[in-house]
Amino acid sequence: MAKQKKQPRPQAITPKGFRDYFGAEVDERKRMLDQIATVYHRYGFDALESSAVETVEALGKFLPDVDRPNEGVFAWQDEDESWLALRYDLTAPLARVYAQHRNDLPTPYRRYAMGPVWRDEKPGLGRFRQFYQCDADTVGSASMAADAEICALLADTLETVGIPRGDYVVRVNNRKVLNGVLEVMGVDEGPTRDAVLRTIDKFDKVGEAGVRELLGKGRLDASGAYIDGVGLSDEKVEPVLAFLTSKGETADQTLENLRASVGDSAIGAQGVAELDEIATLLHAQGYGPDRIVIDPSVVRGLGYYTGPVFEVELTFEILDEKGRPRQFGSVAGGGRYDDLVKRFTGQAVPATGVSIGVDRLLAALHAKGRLGGKAVGPVVVTVMDKSRLADYQAMVGELRQAGIRAEIYLGNPKNFGNQLKYADKRDSPVAIIAGSEEFDAGKVQIKDLVLGAKIAESATLEEWKERPSQFECDRADLVAKVREIIDASDD
């Protein structure tokens, strides 16, 4: 009988485009999610947790940065032959939830949602296939007050998580203004219009000169390859550039420039009027141009949004992988999407909202040096005498009851040095040491690991004697002494 071939062991590797998150990273994200949720809740939004899996039919073709139906999602066929997919954002599920439960929900419905989303896209540096989003949306209100509120919420959220005023700007535009510009140009629905929109979307990458070339005959890209242009005449190109570069010194100047760029277009005039109303409502709440500005160069998901659009840009500089300074860039975006719920109901339902990229925000705070300090682990109660395990467990229990994170060493206690190495690896601030002699005398040894590390790095032997990192105290004073050390290390 032939010997059965041994099954190879699976490789212990993370799938491409995904990553694992450990203690401090998970704690940082949780703190940020809690901070963001506090702001969202203060603005009157209710929490919603929808399914991570949706039908492909429900997701539709509304992925903002992909122009092909169902492209970019992780999908599979269920046993009943229907297609299911992991959600690629938190907005498409909201449209389904509202359409399904609209008779039981208040109108307008204000909800926030937080959680992971999945996109089947090519991964790259800092670009993963699973990431966290924090959304806030208002469904059922056409009022520009809802859009102005989203802008104010964004500003408040950024400052709450630690991005100070001056390090960010919320930029606002309106898709209707662009529609007005295209109407003035005489560009109708069709391939040419789509090409113009795709070119406008590249404004932040290629600038005014690049857009001019791409709308005209074409241009050479950075690699030297020639990219064919849309083929518009100079006369038709000018209104687009006038729109994209119409930001003035003040909101009033910008609005005046936009009115000129849309000419007699009714839809364009409506878009300008909506921006004017948003600016007025924000000014009434005390949000000035140091936080929120009207910026016609903001172009987001042109086939997705139907009115105002928002984008949050962090304005401080960081160094790229080659040591060159660059701005950090966008961390949040959104806008008005009045056609999304209509897919389910057949009736137009106004909606507006925003999505914050949590991982991008965390990266920004790390870049500014506001996160990334050494994590503080639990107090470790070492084990010197296995017959006194109940006494060690009693100490752990007292520490936990006092709200102090603590654990007993659960490995082999035979080598005491390994216990202290374990405490170091856990980033523990304190190790508790007690043997039979200490227990009989009602004493305990407390080792200040934070101070010990500092002394080991820089202190002389004399300084060590003056500031011992290990001392003895009464067993009854254990909790108080440990708390003193932890509080001192937090200063």
Side-chain angles (χ1 to χ4, degrees):
M1 184 171 138
K3 188 176 180 180
Q4 191 172 10
K5 191 175 181 181
K6 191 175 181 180
Q7 193 75 11
R9 293 189 181 97
Q11 284 187 288
I13 58 173
T14 309
K16 189 175 182 181
F18 295 85
R19 59 160 296 192
D20 302 310
Y21 296 85
F22 294 90
E25 296 171 306
V26 176
D27 291 342
E28 285 175 353
R29 182 196 288 138
K30 183 181 183 302
R31 280 194 295 272
M32 178 171 284
L33 292 175
D34 290 343
Q35 290 171 329
I36 295 173
T38 297
V39 180
Y40 286 2
H41 193 263
R42 189 166 70 235
Y43 268 71
F45 292 91
D46 288 332
L48 170 68
E49 288 190 12
S50 61
S51 170
V53 176
E54 296 283 342
T55 66
V56 166
E57 182 182 24
L59 292 177
K61 59 179 182 179
F62 280 84
L63 186 59
D65 54 357
V66 174
D67 58 7
R68 296 183 300 279
N70 307 327
E71 184 74 13
V73 299
F74 287 100
W76 64 94
Q77 198 167 21
D78 203 9
E79 58 185 15
D80 63 356
E81 298 189 355
S82 63
W83 280 86
L84 304 176
L86 290 172
R87 64 191 182 200
Y88 58 73
D89 70 1
L90 299 175
T91 310
L94 170 63
R96 190 267 304 161
V97 166
Y98 183 80
Q100 182 177 348
H101 301 284
R102 62 188 182 281
N103 293 331
D104 301 318
L105 294 172
T107 300
Y109 175 52
R110 300 155 62 82
R111 84 89 174 87
Y112 73 87
M114 300 179 173
V117 298
W118 296 266
R119 297 190 181 179
D120 186 9
E121 300 174 327
K122 185 178 180 180
L125 183 64
R127 186 181 182 91
F128 296 99
R129 288 170 164 172
Q130 175 181 319
F131 52 94
Y132 265 74
Q133 288 186 333
C134 292
D135 286 20
D137 296 79
T138 298
V139 182
S141 174
S143 170
M144 288 299 105
D147 301 88
E149 184 177 65
I150 292 294
C151 296
L153 176 142
L154 280 169
D156 288 352
T157 299
L158 289 168
E159 294 181 20
T160 297
V161 302
I163 306 293
R165 206 168 300 181
D167 274 355
Y168 73 88
V169 62
V170 180
R171 302 190 296 151
V172 190
N173 196 7
N174 196 310
R175 172 67 196 272
K176 293 177 182 177
V177 180
L178 177 57
N179 288 342
V181 171
L182 296 175
E183 187 177 304
V184 169
M185 293 170 59
V187 178
D188 300 322
E189 295 285 347
T192 300
R193 184 186 180 94
D194 293 341
V196 171
L197 293 177
R198 285 194 297 270
T199 302
I200 290 173
D201 205 13
K202 299 174 183 176
F203 178 75
D204 62 336
K205 296 178 182 178
V206 302
E208 180 181 351
V211 170
R212 183 185 296 276
E213 291 172 337
L214 289 172
L215 288 175
K217 295 179 180 179
R219 71 189 294 265
L220 291 174
D221 68 11
S223 68
Y226 190 79
I227 302 173
D228 290 332
V230 179
L232 298 181
S233 65
D234 291 343
E235 184 180 29
K236 287 195 172 184
V237 169
E238 286 307 320
V240 177
L241 295 175
F243 162 71
L244 290 173
T245 60
S246 57
K247 187 175 183 296
E249 293 293 324
T250 66
D252 288 340
Q253 290 177 359
T254 301
L255 291 167
E256 193 59 37
N257 293 338
L258 288 175
R259 290 187 185 95
S261 69
V262 300
D264 295 330
S265 168
I267 189 68
Q270 183 182 348
V272 177
E274 289 177 355
L275 288 175
D276 194 354
E277 184 177 358
I278 290 172
T280 300
L281 293 171
L282 289 169
H283 178 74
Q285 297 177 67
Y287 293 89
D290 58 330
R291 289 189 275 180
I292 305 171
V293 297
I294 296 173
D295 188 342
S297 68
V298 177
V299 181
R300 295 188 56 83
L302 292 172
Y304 185 79
Y305 296 111
T306 58
V309 290
F310 330 110
E311 187 165 272
V312 174
E313 182 181 354
L314 301 187
T315 55
F316 58 81
E317 283 191 346
I318 61 171
L319 299 179
D320 66 13
E321 61 276 8
K322 295 183 179 180
R324 298 169 300 192
R326 66 172 181 84
Q327 284 195 332
F328 190 89
S330 176
V331 295
R336 181 163 284 276
Y337 51 96
D338 289 347
D339 293 336
L340 198 54
V341 178
K342 185 179 180 181
R343 296 178 54 244
F344 297 94
T345 64
Q347 300 172 336
V349 178
T352 188
V354 71
S355 180
I356 295 176
V358 175
D359 299 289
R360 288 279 294 167
L361 260 184
L362 286 169
L365 289 170
H366 276 280
K368 289 290 285 184
R370 295 181 187 137
L371 283 180
K374 195 171 184 180
V376 178
V379 172
V380 171
V381 176
T382 62
V383 177
M384 305 265 309
D385 183 350
K386 287 198 293 185
S387 68
R388 308 296 293 260
L389 200 59
D391 293 314
Y392 296 119
Q393 199 68 65
M395 288 193 283
V396 169
E398 288 177 26
L399 291 166
R400 290 171 178 167
Q401 290 292 325
I404 297 172
R405 189 180 180 209
E407 66 175 69
I408 190 172
Y409 181 72
L410 296 175
N412 187 345
K414 188 173 182 180
N415 188 324
F416 182 71
N418 286 344
Q419 297 193 52
L420 293 182
K421 288 179 182 178
Y422 172 82
D424 285 337
K425 201 165 188 178
R426 295 285 280 132
D427 295 315
S428 303
V430 176
I432 308 300
I433 305 168
S436 297
E437 291 183 9
E438 283 84 7
F439 282 124
D440 292 343
K443 301 289 185 180
V444 66
Q445 296 282 334
I446 296 180
K447 189 172 183 63
D448 184 340
L449 297 174
V450 176
L451 177 59
K454 290 179 180 177
I455 292 173
E457 285 176 4
S458 60
T460 65
L461 181 61
E462 290 303 315
E463 288 173 318
W464 176 274
K465 290 179 179 178
E466 292 175 7
R467 301 177 59 198
S469 62
Q470 181 172 326
F471 59 90
E472 187 176 77
C473 73
D474 290 339
R475 169 68 178 80
D477 295 332
L478 169 67
V479 171
K481 293 298 183 182
V482 169
R483 191 179 294 283
E484 284 180 15
I485 294 173
I486 292 175
D487 290 345
S489 67
D490 288 339
D491 293 339

